[in-house]
Amino acid sequence: MADVFRFADDLGPLEIVHIHRPSVGLKAVVAIDNIACGPAVGGVRMAADVSAEEAFRLARAMTLKNAAAGLPHGGGKSVIFADPKMALADKERLIRAFASAIADLTDYIPGPDMGTDELAMAWIKDETGRAVGLPREIGGIPLDEVGATGFGLAVAIDVAARHIALDLKGARFVVQGFGSVGRHAARHLAAKGAVLVAASDSQGAVLDETGLDIPALEALKAEGKSVKDYPRGRAVAADAIIDLPCEIWIPAARPDVITAGNAGRLKTRLVAQGANIPCTPEAEAALAGRGVLILPDFIANAGGVICAATEYQRGTQAQAFATIADKIGENTEAVLAEAKRTKSSPRAAALSLATAKVRRAMQMRRW
Ligand code: NAD
């Protein structure tokens, strides 16, 4: 536990619960960071290499993301130590055991994350009566299928582009990680006139300065192939898309992909963070020093959780998209204006606005 308390501060974490059920091989940690704004919403991550510290850091990120988005939810996250590629029947047994173990943690509402999906949320809802990111059949809005986060990212980029006088018509953009977030962001940006010049996935990348055909790339991915199998353009190593000149660079894959070591290779005006913590603090500082605008993850990629919160309130998909457009548009404006006013980075401005909201909510509660 010492590692977790090393990070504790006046916001949280409220609770870190370790779960061990040797009979079913379940080892998990639930971190409930802060519930001043409402019950904590946050994903259930299943991976072999997770840690309690990671659960807490992700839970804090959710506290800030949910507060920034003005949702009536605090932040939480849970991790299950297991290989998500196990047989489905084993996964169901493990997830149901996890769900029954958290049944009394009513301040925590689970959602999907790496290694879990809508079906897993259906099992959790079945056991506990609460979960978001559910299948349509039981009232869910499948947020990856409908592209809630990618849509929100495109809204944030639209606002940021105006701040740096960038015309989206003809603007070249690159997507690292052509998955749920990346491909939907690409569709919505292309609809605004921007041109996708490179895309990557874990197996490789493809470049075409004249523009890639997004539906064709989506069709390849749907067949289980890689973007590098795209028949036109130039197939290159996944990492090569860092060097391609563009106006907008979208990390939508893994954390820490841009570091002090490779930030100098990026030739872009705007980095729009679809992934969570894709740039190290040193990389963000180096990019800002070169005048690159960075849209911070917890502002730009909040579409998914806004969709989940709408689902929880029994709202419709159309209401979710309208709320995403409103909230992400307003927040991006507010963050960029505050950053300009205080001569700070958008991340520092966003952190200060979000923490102030959580602190105000904490003052309204009896502890
Ligand atoms: P996903 O699994 O659907 O897509 C990820 C894509 O990244 C895949 O195409 C994968 O092949 C690719 N990838 C993996 N490693 C790569 C590498 N080294 N180089 C290039 N591509 C690589 O996942 P997703 O749901 O789109 O999530 C992407 C990121 O966005 C994650 O960091 C996730 O935490 C974050 N995020 C997702 C949502 C959401 O609603 N899905 C919301 C907020 C944040």
Side-chain angles (χ1 to χ4, degrees), residues 143-144 149 177-181 200-202 221 252-254 274-276 301:
L143 56 92
D144 280 339
T149 304
F178 199 75
S180 308
V181 174
S200 69
D201 57 28
S202 56
K221 295 296 287 181
R254 310 278 307 162
N276 291 320
N301 73 18

Side-chain angles (χ1 to χ4, degrees), residues 63-280:
T63 299
L64 298 173
K65 186 184 289 193
N66 294 343
L71 301 175
H73 292 291
K77 201 83 172 191
S78 48
V79 296
I80 300 177
F81 298 77
D83 178 0
K85 293 198 171 83
M86 68 178 74
L88 194 65
D90 294 337
K91 193 163 180 174
E92 176 168 0
R93 202 171 309 119
L94 200 63
I95 297 268
R96 283 188 183 276
F98 168 76
S100 69
I102 65 161
D104 293 335
L105 291 179
T106 51
D107 283 330
Y108 172 56
I109 304 162
D113 196 86
M114 275 164 53
T116 62
D117 57 9
E118 292 145 19
L119 180 59
M121 293 310 114
W123 297 327
I124 295 179
K125 174 92 193 288
D126 191 35
E127 298 289 334
T128 66
R130 51 176 214 283
V132 289
L134 297 166
R136 270 192 212 284
E137 294 77 4
I138 53 171
I141 310 173
L143 56 92
D144 280 339
E145 184 190 312
V146 301
T149 304
F151 170 70
L153 195 59
V155 170
I157 289 171
D158 205 347
V159 172
R162 271 182 267 128
H163 273 252
I164 56 170
L166 168 66
D167 188 355
L168 283 183
K169 257 199 178 39
R172 297 164 301 171
F173 70 102
V174 168
V175 171
Q176 182 192 48
F178 199 75
S180 308
V181 174
R183 75 183 175 91
H184 288 292
R187 277 197 308 111
H188 290 289
L189 276 181
K192 294 172 196 286
V195 181
L196 177 67
V197 291
S200 69
D201 57 28
S202 56
Q203 297 176 52
V206 61
L207 318 178
D208 188 345
E209 282 87 346
T210 63
L212 294 161
D213 178 343
I214 296 170
L217 287 176
E218 291 191 291
L220 278 175
K221 295 296 287 181
E223 288 170 33
K225 293 185 179 157
S226 161
V227 293
K228 75 176 168 43
D229 300 317
Y230 182 78
R232 298 178 297 282
R234 233 170 344 123
V236 291
D239 191 45
I241 63 165
I242 298 181
D243 303 290
L244 191 72
C246 62
E247 281 70 45
I248 306 162
W249 204 83
I250 302 177
R254 310 278 307 162
D256 297 332
V257 291
I258 301 297
T259 62
N262 63 10
R265 289 167 49 196
L266 274 183
K267 298 174 198 77
T268 192
R269 294 182 61 192
L270 175 63
V271 172
Q273 300 186 336
N276 291 320
I277 44 168
C279 306
T280 63

